[in-house]
Amino acid sequence: MPEVSSSRWDVKRVRCKDARGDERVVQGISIMKWMDKKIGLALGGGGARGLAHIGVLKVLEEAHIPFDMIVGTSAGALVGGAYAAGLSLEELVERVDSYLHSPEFQSSVIKAIENARANENSGWTQKIQSFFVNRFHLAQAMFRPGILAITDFQSMIDHFIPDVRIEDTTIPFHAVATDLVSGNRVTLSSGSLRHAVMASCAVPGAIEPLKEGDMYLSDGGIICLVPSSVARQEGADIVISVAVDQDICTAEEFRTCRQVCDRATAIMAHQLENYELADADIVIRPDVGDLCWTDFSHYSDIITAGERAAREKIKDIKDVMPVFKKWFTLKQLTRPQNGQ
């Protein structure tokens, strides 16, 4: 058990071991514990856009906003799982930077898709290259359940996620996946953290589903893009949700069948997400514009967008936590007056 020292109103200091086995002190306000109120952080999916969660966590940490659990879907499970396991935000950013500049990522299918998408509005040479890249990956998709090799995906997960069990994370953690057999949502709250995050991040078509018993687990974002309801079901009294979806409004012209289908899918996902967000007390929406799930080269701007959006919501977060008001009122009442 971690060593905890706290008082009725004081800052709580928890001494625990991080993912590398080093001891560090985690600080947070113990007020909500005193009130027996649990705060849940629900981190939504969105591929590269999910890196905005790092910026959100940074601001919450700076503001000493405590939370008793993290629930993540897809990219939210990746960032949330790493943080819950004890990685500091500095370590997480370092791992993002090192991975995105590694030969492994630069030669990956995800990077190829990002480059192909970026070249769609370029000259004829780039357009021809994009055409063949897209057709090559489409041909691969016709003969296997995912265009990204499972070994490459496992390597990426291992780079970010410590080899620990979910039960042993510093912060209670839950990952959300979808069972393709039953069509049901699956909440992973025990077992291998790496396996849970991998299942939650298994983007349909890009990554092969993970077999677990009679289930085939795929991306949790299929039916639960932002897991607000899961945080509530796991006992959170106050839910702070982070949505990293694209702007639903668009000026795009629909000239091809693919563009129409993509737009229809985006609208369905947006409406499903709104259903989930109705269960949240606070919604943080980083401005990620129209970035695609593969646009990892913009990671620095994405993290900054998360910071900016979280700062705009700090007052709202404290407003839904009435104890903060009582605490500051108490400090005002007990503060010595000038000249007394």
Side-chain angles (χ1 to χ4, degrees), residues 52-337:
H53 296 313
I54 297 175
V56 171
L57 286 167
K58 178 183 177 182
V59 172
L60 295 181
E61 201 175 79
E62 291 172 350
H64 301 295
I65 302 296
F67 36 89
D68 300 277
M69 71 180 73
I70 298 176
V71 184
T73 288
S74 199
L78 180 67
V79 174
Y83 187 75
L87 262 70
S88 69
L89 296 175
E90 292 77 13
E91 289 175 305
L92 193 48
V93 172
E94 288 175 4
R95 294 194 183 196
V96 169
D97 184 77
S98 64
Y99 180 74
L100 295 182
H101 288 92
S102 68
E104 179 183 354
F105 177 76
Q106 293 298 321
S107 61
S108 69
V109 173
I110 293 178
K111 183 62 177 178
I113 294 173
E114 180 185 7
N115 290 339
R117 184 174 179 273
N119 290 334
E120 286 180 354
N121 297 320
S122 302
W124 280 107
T125 302
Q126 288 81 8
K127 286 184 177 180
I128 291 172
Q129 290 175 343
S130 299
F131 175 84
F132 284 111
V133 168
N134 286 331
R135 293 304 181 277
F136 172 72
H137 293 311
L138 180 61
Q140 285 185 314
M142 299 298 292
F143 298 99
R144 62 189 196 190
I147 60 175
L148 181 64
I150 197 70
T151 52
D152 292 342
F153 185 54
Q154 179 73 66
S155 176
M156 184 197 76
I157 295 296
D158 292 351
H159 180 81
F160 289 100
I161 303 296
D163 187 14
V164 299
R165 294 182 64 81
I166 297 176
E167 301 94 318
D168 298 327
T169 55
T170 304
I171 302 171
F173 175 75
H174 310 275
V176 179
T178 303
D179 176 23
L180 296 181
V181 176
S182 66
N184 292 330
R185 183 184 70 198
V186 178
T187 302
L188 302 168
S189 305
S190 62
S192 168
L193 178 62
R194 285 178 172 175
H195 180 80
V197 171
M198 194 168 176
S200 184
C201 292
V203 179
I207 296 135
E208 180 179 348
L210 273 66
K211 192 173 190 313
E212 185 168 311
D214 294 330
M215 299 186 294
Y216 280 88
L217 300 180
S218 191
D219 196 301
I222 297 172
I223 56 176
C224 187
L225 195 56
V226 184
S228 307
S229 60
V230 178
R232 192 75 70 182
Q233 289 174 7
E234 293 297 332
D237 301 291
I238 296 174
V239 177
I240 302 171
S241 295
V242 186
V244 291
D245 53 332
Q246 294 173 306
D247 189 347
I248 192 60
C249 298
T250 182
E252 181 182 5
E253 295 183 14
F254 310 113
R255 297 179 177 178
T256 67
C257 174
R258 193 191 77 175
Q259 289 174 324
V260 173
C261 290
D262 286 348
R263 180 58 178 169
T265 301
I267 292 173
M268 286 189 291
H270 179 73
Q271 295 301 325
L272 185 61
E273 179 185 73
N274 285 341
Y275 176 80
E276 278 289 333
L277 292 178
D279 215 3
D281 297 284
I282 296 292
V283 177
I284 299 174
R285 284 185 180 273
D287 183 7
V288 291
D290 62 350
L291 288 176
C292 179
W293 71 274
T294 59
D295 288 338
F296 286 95
S297 61
H298 299 279
Y299 74 95
S300 182
D301 293 335
I302 295 171
I303 293 173
T304 300
E307 293 181 34
R308 189 182 306 116
R311 286 197 177 93
E312 293 173 354
K313 290 290 185 175
I314 289 298
K315 182 181 181 300
D316 292 341
I317 293 172
K318 292 181 178 180
D319 284 344
V320 301
M321 299 164 64
V323 178
F324 269 98
K325 295 181 180 179
K326 295 176 184 178
W327 185 63
F328 285 116
T329 300
L330 181 64
K331 290 198 70 176
Q332 290 290 336
L333 290 173
T334 57
R335 181 180 298 166
Q337 299 297 316

